Amino acid sequence: MTLRTFGLPAFRRFPMSHSWNSFLEKKTMRSVASAHNMRMYRTVPSMTSCSRKAGSSIKKLRHIEGLSLTCMPRSFTPSCRDLVAPVSDRKLNTVVQISVIHPVEQTLTRYSSTEIVEGTKDPVFLTGVTFPSDYPIYEETRIKLTVYDVKDKSHNTIRTSVLPEHKDPPPEVARSFLGCASFKVEELLKSKEQVLALSLRTSDGGKVVGTIEVSLVKMGEIEDGDTDHITTDVQGQKCALVYESTAPESLSGKENLPFMNAVLRNPVCKLYRFPTSDNKWMRIREQMSESILSFHIPKELISLHIKEDLCRNQELKELGDLSPHWDNLRKNVLSHCDQMVTMYQDILTELSKETESSFKSSSSKGEKTLEFVPINLHLQRMQVHSPHLKDALYDVITVGAPAAHYQGFKNGGLRKLLHRFETERRNTGYQFIYYSPENTAKAREVLSSINQLQPLIATHADLLLNSASQRSPDSLKSSLKLLSEKTELFVHAFKDQLVRSALLALYTARPGGILKKTPSPKVSTEEKSTQQDTPQLRRQDSIPHHSDYDDEEWDRVWANMGKSLNCIIAKVDKLIERDSHNNEEGAGSSNSKDGEEDPTMEDSITSLPREDWYEQLHPLILTLKECMGEVVSRAKQSLTFVLLQELAYSLPQCLMLTLRRDIVFSQALAGLVCGFIIKLHTSLHDPGFLQQLHTVGLIVQYEGLLSTYSDEIGMLEDMAVGISDLRKVAFKITEATSNDVLPVLTGRREHYVVEVKLPATVFESLPLQIKEGQLLHVYPVLFNVGINEQQTLAERFGDVSLQESINQENFELVQEYYSIFMEKMPPDYISHFQEQNDLKGLLDNLHHNIQAKKRKNVEIMWLAATICRKLNGIRFTCCKSAKDRTSMSVTLEQCSILRDEHQLHKDFFIRALDCMRSRQMQGALTESDDPETGCLTDNKPTSRHFYPVALLLVSSHLLVVWLILSLALLLAKYQ
């Protein structure tokens, strides 16, 4: 079976080793795939653990050698000459495996390998070796080079392990041992021109089978030569020059910022050089990093869910007396909601145990305790150094599609489930009152506003009284301004007619339909608000209008808040005006208009006016608080009753939908926060970006590679809703006041704010609007194109309408963002921007491709990604597990960028692609592999390993036959 994607030839053939699923779990063609898999499955020691073990045993060498880890040269390239083939007629396919022998423990760490060079006895390996900065390499460290003749490239898999040097595993058959050589690091350092020529000898140390040369390479000092200097053999090979490491080295000075170090973990880097069209070298550095936000954001979000749900449960309990029907429903709802809170608390407890985790593998996507955590969340960064162009960074966040894998997809995903739920709820019986999703969301929003504004108003009212007691006009004005702003927001929140209709519904739910009224505060209500019509509900017979219900009572209560505020404003103005008038008359006046005592009486001058101001404002402040308490009491109860309707209908289903939506949103939010922080970090010194950030916001483009077939339909439906829900997320940038720079999440299910902390020096350089706490918005969009074999079946025999509708809906969102961008950004920026980017043409082309409905139209993905990059957006690439399809897409995109933006030589496009997709760069041998004894290969699969593959092939053919026969029967039936 071959994998064909993006219209390119088949790049790899899948070996039939182990089962199909296990192979897909272990295989990825991303540029740093093997290191990725080492972290994913923990089947072998990582390079970090290896260095930690070795480092613990050779601490003495640090003092003996007097050489620090950072100053030791760490990169070299091998090449071979005059290799002797085991069989005279055979052309060699050679590969060099690099091992490290630690001087104290004398253990052998299989570190990495070169690419395979085919058909020559003088191979020039274009893959170098780089050790990370914290890897224990000293002058006494010995490097061992072992050369193999690879008979079957599909079995050439190398993994990292640590073995005693004397261990001799059994021989195997996929590649044969040619010879080996070793050297000490100090020998390379002291050699002439820092090049060593070593004889390759057989395992018994007797016969010489060729020569291997090792050349020292200093990272960051690679020469910029012409490609004409490459030998003929080198040009015939399939990869350009590659250096690789497992830690970044001087990628950018900015990466030392504390908040970046707190977000990214376990970086893996590779370095290439490719020829440009004018025969110069460009250097490309790839970096893949995990993010601690994979676990941090879900824990923050679950904590907010628990807090919100506990508050809602308490409000349900405080709803007051209800008729038996509604009281029983409330008890049932509380019982189920308490169970949900307990489950969230258990999940949070389990996640809290993952203190050092930064990565969730695809093999864990079915674990209940990790279902809030995104799958395979990584930053994939490409940094390009071109000889004539400005250096550039290209970031893509790769993550598994946000979906509720543990919940399953038997009944579809969120998109279908939510539509079905609303349809059934709309047509429910008389015992429930239907409120639309918009009204339910509005109820939550108003309740949240109440909880936020009520304590603020009380605080500002107390501050106003404090200013009055101090008789400070300026402070009084400032306190009054803040009180007025918060009170106006509070009053405005209740203008919606939803509160009035909810009060009527709650009145009918009381025992006997009698509303227990609380005495109104003592405020003149001569001017009544104009009564407005109660909005029509779906089932009017469920909330009949009672003749004893006073429709105008809520208007009076609600209006009293505004009138109380007006009284306070008038009184403050009068007091300040009187004080100003007194000051104009002069301190020597014996009488004042307010009947003050003689100014010669010092005590009266200092105490009586202050007491007078406080005493005059205090009754008005008490009235304002009484009015606010009355409004809060009535509004909270009525809006909580609205939420009860949603929960009461199909209770288990409603809560399960809420759980599923929370899970999907948590995964999507973790990726978004990671992407936002990375984008902010890389663009801090771009004034145009910062202006766009607070003026328009950022577009966030998700590239989906899911098929519209089987379970992936449900995943796509989950993903579409989860990404759409990200619109209710806003960001705020604050100054970090401690070493804890991880983002902080606040809000509720309908609106979240992510607080991103920056160091003081960086924060001070931001625009004033951002420093003042302006909310920064994002515009998430999703474009999906299925590319695998299942999508072929879906397009020929199934339904792709879901994909088409998602793409069309999100294209309209991109157009909307583009319109806002062109409208709000300054004209000088727009004119310069249009000179650099033909966005209008790209948008038209994207719209044309979406309307064309072409099979596997990957042009949609390329156009959407290009538009996103040109609009300074954040890029995501997603498939089921963010492995095979994602890696194919990312590597193709990177090579296309090098070709279109950085003049990659056209003859090296496929070679560069093969190099980035190579999985033979890093990783190491299993414990059954021996560098000197016979040959190396993966273990041979037994017959049971072939069974899943055979079943898959047979079942897919049977499916096609069944579809054809069914179609024939239908045609015969209706003829």
Side-chain angles (χ1 to χ4, degrees):
M1 177 175 292
T2 60
L3 177 63
R4 294 179 179 270
T5 55
F6 308 100
L8 294 174
F11 295 108
R12 295 285 186 271
R13 292 187 178 274
F14 294 147
M16 297 296 185
S17 61
H18 308 291
S19 69
W20 178 264
N21 289 334
S22 66
F23 174 76
L24 288 182
E25 287 287 7
K26 292 180 180 178
K27 179 185 183 305
T28 177
M29 286 176 269
R30 194 180 307 186
S31 56
V32 284
S34 47
H36 178 161
N37 286 340
M38 284 160 54
R39 293 199 304 273
M40 188 182 305
Y41 300 101
R42 316 288 182 187
T43 56
V44 292
S46 66
M47 305 305 289
T48 304
S49 63
C50 293
S51 62
R52 190 180 298 117
K53 292 178 181 178
S56 63
S57 301
I58 57 177
K59 289 181 180 178
K60 295 183 292 183
L61 288 179
R62 296 191 181 185
H63 305 286
I64 296 173
E65 301 293 340
L67 199 62
S68 67
L69 290 177
T70 56
C71 66
M72 179 68 68
R74 299 179 167 276
S75 304
F76 64 87
T77 56
S79 61
C80 296
R81 296 197 317 267
D82 304 325
L83 295 179
V84 178
V87 181
S88 58
D89 295 335
R90 173 172 170 76
K91 291 185 176 182
L92 294 174
N93 300 326
T94 50
V95 62
V96 177
Q97 185 248 312
I98 296 91
S99 305
V100 179
I101 302 174
H102 299 286
V104 175
E105 291 183 341
Q106 290 298 308
T107 55
L108 186 72
T109 301
R110 315 289 170 76
Y111 182 75
S112 66
S113 69
T114 66
E115 82 281 12
I116 298 173
V117 179
E118 302 178 15
T120 177
K121 64 178 181 178
D122 302 315
V124 177
F125 297 99
L126 303 179
T127 304
V129 179
T130 297
F131 295 95
S133 58
D134 60 347
Y135 197 91
I137 295 293
Y138 304 95
E139 291 186 356
E140 293 299 320
T141 302
R142 182 171 290 275
I143 307 296
K144 187 172 185 178
L145 307 174
T146 310
V147 182
Y148 299 96
D149 175 24
V150 179
K151 298 178 181 178
D152 185 355
K153 289 178 63 177
S154 64
H155 287 85
N156 185 50
T157 302
I158 304 176
R159 306 182 185 88
T160 300
S161 62
V162 180
L163 296 175
E165 189 180 7
H166 61 272
K167 185 172 182 179
D168 295 329
E172 300 183 37
V173 296
R175 56 184 190 176
S176 58
F177 171 78
L178 290 180
C180 65
S182 64
F183 64 93
K184 287 184 179 181
V185 172
E186 65 176 347
E187 295 173 358
L188 179 60
L189 294 176
K190 297 176 181 178
S191 62
K192 184 179 181 180
E193 297 181 354
Q194 296 186 326
V195 177
L196 277 181
L198 307 171
S199 297
L200 288 171
R201 297 183 179 273
T202 57
S203 56
D204 57 6
K207 182 180 179 183
V208 176
V209 294
T211 302
I212 185 168
E213 288 187 353
V214 181
S215 302
L216 187 67
V217 175
K218 295 182 179 180
M219 300 296 291
E221 299 182 8
I222 302 175
E223 70 283 357
D224 293 328
D226 292 339
T227 55
D228 295 336
H229 296 169
I230 301 176
T231 64
T232 304
D233 286 342
V234 175
Q235 290 182 353
Q237 297 169 13
K238 293 190 176 181
C239 293
L241 183 59
V242 182
Y243 305 100
E244 60 167 345
S245 66
T246 56
E249 297 182 22
S250 303
L251 181 62
S252 172
K254 301 175 188 177
E255 289 191 356
N256 294 324
L257 291 174
F259 79 95
M260 284 301 299
N261 293 335
V263 169
L264 298 180
R265 296 285 178 87
N266 302 327
V268 179
C269 297
K270 296 176 68 176
L271 185 67
Y272 314 87
R273 71 173 181 178
F274 300 136
T276 61
S277 56
D278 58 351
N279 290 331
K280 299 291 184 181
W281 288 114
M282 74 167 79
R283 284 178 290 167
I284 298 94
R285 189 184 189 107
E286 277 188 309
Q287 173 182 325
M288 184 180 73
S289 303
E290 301 170 3
S291 175
I292 196 173
L293 299 179
S294 293
F295 284 79
H296 174 73
I297 294 298
K299 287 189 282 190
E300 289 266 310
L301 191 62
I302 294 173
S303 298
L304 289 181
H305 290 334
I306 294 173
K307 182 179 178 181
E308 179 182 352
D309 291 347
L310 288 174
C311 181
R312 178 200 58 202
N313 292 353
Q314 185 61 32
E315 289 169 351
L316 286 173
K317 295 175 183 177
E318 296 174 353
L319 197 53
D321 294 336
L322 297 175
S323 63
H325 168 72
W326 293 108
D327 192 50
N328 290 334
L329 286 176
R330 176 172 57 177
K331 292 177 181 177
N332 192 25
V333 166
L334 285 173
S335 175
H336 283 80
C337 289
D338 288 340
Q339 294 177 11
M340 284 288 292
V341 170
T342 301
M343 183 180 67
Y344 277 59
Q345 290 172 337
D346 292 342
I347 293 175
L348 181 60
T349 301
E350 292 299 319
L351 286 180
S352 299
K353 298 177 182 178
E354 306 284 344
T355 54
E356 298 297 327
S357 298
S358 59
F359 173 74
K360 172 187 170 183
S361 69
S362 59
S363 60
S364 303
K365 61 175 172 281
E367 293 185 17
K368 180 175 177 58
T369 56
L370 298 178
E371 56 185 345
F372 282 82
V373 181
I375 301 170
N376 278 352
L377 176 61
H378 287 91
L379 163 68
Q380 178 79 14
R381 166 170 289 180
M382 180 176 71
Q383 186 178 23
V384 184
H385 299 268
S386 298
H388 304 302
L389 301 176
K390 186 177 180 180
D391 292 354
L393 274 179
Y394 300 93
D395 289 341
V396 179
I397 306 297
T398 60
V399 63
H405 293 277
Y406 179 80
Q407 310 293 327
F409 308 98
K410 182 179 180 180
N411 298 316
L414 276 173
R415 190 177 172 108
K416 179 187 292 183
L417 293 173
L418 288 172
H419 176 73
R420 184 188 304 164
F421 177 77
E422 288 302 324
T423 302
E424 293 175 354
R425 198 159 70 92
R426 190 180 298 114
N427 300 323
T428 191
Y430 71 91
Q431 64 269 34
F432 302 105
I433 303 173
Y434 174 78
Y435 289 95
S436 67
E438 293 76 16
N439 281 336
T440 304
K442 181 65 178 178
R444 291 195 182 96
E445 181 181 350
V446 175
L447 283 173
S448 178
S449 299
I450 292 173
N451 294 330
Q452 291 177 4
L453 293 174
Q454 184 182 14
L456 289 176
I457 292 174
T459 300
H460 290 310
D462 294 338
L463 290 175
L464 183 69
L465 288 177
N466 185 51
S467 299
S469 66
Q470 296 176 1
R471 204 173 187 274
S472 171
D474 293 337
S475 177
L476 199 64
K477 289 179 182 179
S478 177
S479 299
L480 179 62
K481 181 182 178 181
L482 293 174
L483 177 63
S484 300
E485 290 175 354
K486 299 305 179 184
T487 305
E488 287 172 5
L489 289 175
F490 183 85
V491 173
H492 181 74
F494 299 104
K495 283 185 177 180
D496 197 285
Q497 294 300 307
L498 175 64
V499 180
R500 294 178 51 144
S501 63
L503 282 168
L504 175 59
L506 179 60
Y507 175 83
T508 64
R510 299 292 187 191
I514 300 175
L515 185 62
K516 297 181 179 179
K517 302 179 182 179
T518 306
S520 300
K522 297 178 180 180
V523 176
S524 175
T525 57
E526 294 178 359
E527 298 180 2
K528 297 183 179 179
S529 301
T530 304
Q531 181 179 352
Q532 300 181 4
D533 296 333
T534 302
Q536 296 293 319
L537 296 177
R538 295 282 178 171
R539 287 171 300 283
Q540 290 291 343
D541 58 335
S542 63
I543 50 169
H545 192 282
H546 285 241
S547 59
D548 57 348
Y549 177 72
D550 186 358
D551 287 334
E552 298 182 355
E553 183 176 9
W554 168 249
D555 293 332
R556 291 191 295 269
V557 172
W558 173 62
N560 285 344
M561 273 287 293
K563 293 179 179 181
S564 298
L565 178 63
N566 291 335
C567 292
I568 294 173
I569 294 174
K571 178 60 69 174
V572 170
D573 290 342
K574 184 177 180 179
L575 292 173
I576 293 176
E577 181 182 359
R578 184 183 303 167
D579 181 74
S580 177
H581 182 70
N582 290 341
N583 291 335
E584 290 177 359
E585 288 187 354
S589 177
S590 59
N591 297 314
S592 66
K593 295 181 180 180
D594 292 327
E596 294 180 359
E597 296 289 334
D598 192 294
T600 59
M601 302 176 63
E602 185 177 351
D603 293 340
S604 298
I605 292 175
T606 56
S607 62
L608 184 57
R610 296 179 183 177
E611 182 180 357
D612 185 51
W613 280 26
Y614 181 88
E615 288 182 352
Q616 292 190 52
L617 286 177
H618 185 260
L620 299 179
I621 295 296
L622 288 180
T623 301
L624 177 67
K625 291 183 177 181
E626 289 176 1
C627 290
M628 181 172 62
E630 176 73 6
V631 171
V632 167
S633 175
R634 291 173 181 267
K636 266 192 173 183
Q637 289 186 349
S638 62
L639 295 175
T640 301
F641 188 73
V642 173
L643 301 183
L644 178 63
Q645 309 308 310
E646 180 187 43
L647 294 170
Y649 169 73
S650 187
L651 188 60
Q653 183 183 2
C654 177
L655 293 180
M656 290 306 296
L657 277 177
T658 301
L659 171 63
R660 189 182 191 102
R661 198 165 189 172
D662 289 346
I663 290 169
V664 175
F665 179 75
S666 173
Q667 297 177 21
L669 181 62
L672 174 65
V673 176
C674 177
F676 182 89
I677 291 178
I678 298 299
K679 184 65 179 179
L680 178 66
H681 160 69
T682 56
S683 307
L684 280 172
H685 301 286
D686 182 356
F689 168 82
L690 295 175
Q691 184 175 15
Q692 176 184 347
L693 181 61
H694 69 78
T695 304
V696 184
L698 290 184
I699 189 168
V700 184
Q701 186 253 328
Y702 288 80
E703 175 185 297
L705 304 172
L706 295 172
S707 66
T708 53
Y709 182 84
S710 188
D711 283 352
E712 292 196 10
I713 296 178
M715 296 178 202
L716 182 56
E717 291 174 341
D718 276 356
M719 184 179 179
V721 174
I723 292 174
S724 177
D725 284 346
L726 293 177
R727 298 172 197 168
K728 58 191 178 186
V729 178
F731 290 83
K732 183 171 69 173
I733 300 178
T734 60
E735 181 180 350
T737 57
S738 65
N739 293 330
D740 183 11
V741 293
L742 288 176
V744 177
L745 191 61
T746 59
R748 62 186 190 284
R749 283 186 174 89
E750 298 305 319
H751 178 69
Y752 291 100
V753 175
V754 182
E755 179 183 321
V756 179
K757 303 175 185 178
L758 291 182
T761 54
V762 179
F763 182 78
E764 289 302 321
S765 65
L766 296 176
L768 180 62
Q769 296 89 335
I770 296 179
K771 290 194 291 185
E772 290 179 345
Q774 178 178 327
L775 294 183
L776 312 174
H777 299 280
V778 292
Y779 296 80
V781 295
L782 166 65
F783 292 94
N784 186 85
V785 177
I787 61 171
N788 61 359
E789 294 87 348
Q790 290 185 337
Q791 184 64 21
T792 303
L793 291 177
E795 290 176 340
R796 293 183 179 178
F797 307 108
D799 182 14
V800 295
S801 59
L802 173 63
Q803 175 176 286
E804 293 172 353
S805 61
I806 288 176
N807 290 343
Q808 180 60 40
E809 292 167 7
N810 285 272
F811 172 75
E812 295 171 0
L813 294 176
V814 173
Q815 279 189 316
E816 178 184 346
Y817 177 83
Y818 176 73
S819 300
I820 298 173
F821 180 88
M822 301 300 291
E823 176 186 347
K824 291 188 176 182
M825 291 300 289
D828 55 341
Y829 183 83
I830 292 294
S831 59
H832 173 74
F833 189 84
Q834 287 177 328
E835 291 176 2
Q836 305 296 326
N837 305 287
D838 183 19
L839 280 176
K840 183 62 176 175
L842 290 172
L843 283 169
D844 293 340
N845 197 2
L846 177 60
H847 183 252
H848 172 75
N849 278 274
I850 291 175
Q851 295 296 321
K853 299 182 180 180
K854 176 184 174 182
R855 291 181 179 177
K856 294 188 178 180
N857 190 359
V858 295
E859 190 72 13
I860 293 175
M861 297 187 299
W862 173 246
L863 288 169
T866 303
I867 292 171
C868 175
R869 285 195 301 270
K870 292 184 180 297
L871 283 171
N872 291 325
I874 305 172
R875 282 271 296 116
F876 284 80
T877 299
C878 311
C879 66
K880 179 179 179 180
S881 301
K883 292 190 300 183
D884 296 284
R885 281 171 279 181
T886 296
S887 59
M888 295 290 282
S889 174
V890 169
T891 50
L892 178 65
E893 180 181 357
Q894 290 181 165
C895 288
S896 298
I897 291 173
L898 295 177
R899 177 194 61 196
D900 299 339
E901 305 291 340
H902 298 277
Q903 304 175 3
L904 174 66
H905 197 289
K906 62 180 181 179
D907 294 337
F908 276 76
F909 182 85
I910 297 299
R911 297 181 185 181
L913 197 61
D914 284 343
C915 196
M916 288 184 174
R917 291 176 175 176
S918 174
R919 58 192 179 91
Q920 302 171 30
M921 297 302 173
Q922 180 176 327
L925 306 164
T926 62
E927 294 189 4
S928 62
D929 296 331
D930 177 50
E932 300 183 9
T933 313
C935 315
L936 301 175
T937 184
D938 290 343
N939 293 330
K940 287 292 182 179
T942 60
S943 58
R944 65 185 178 88
H945 293 140
F946 287 102
Y947 179 73
V949 179
L951 181 60
L952 175 65
L953 296 174
V954 172
S955 60
S956 62
H957 284 80
L958 289 177
L959 175 62
V960 174
V961 172
W962 178 80
L963 290 172
I964 295 174
L965 292 177
S966 300
L967 181 61
L969 290 174
L970 287 174
L971 292 175
K973 180 177 180 180
Y974 291 100
Q975 280 182 350

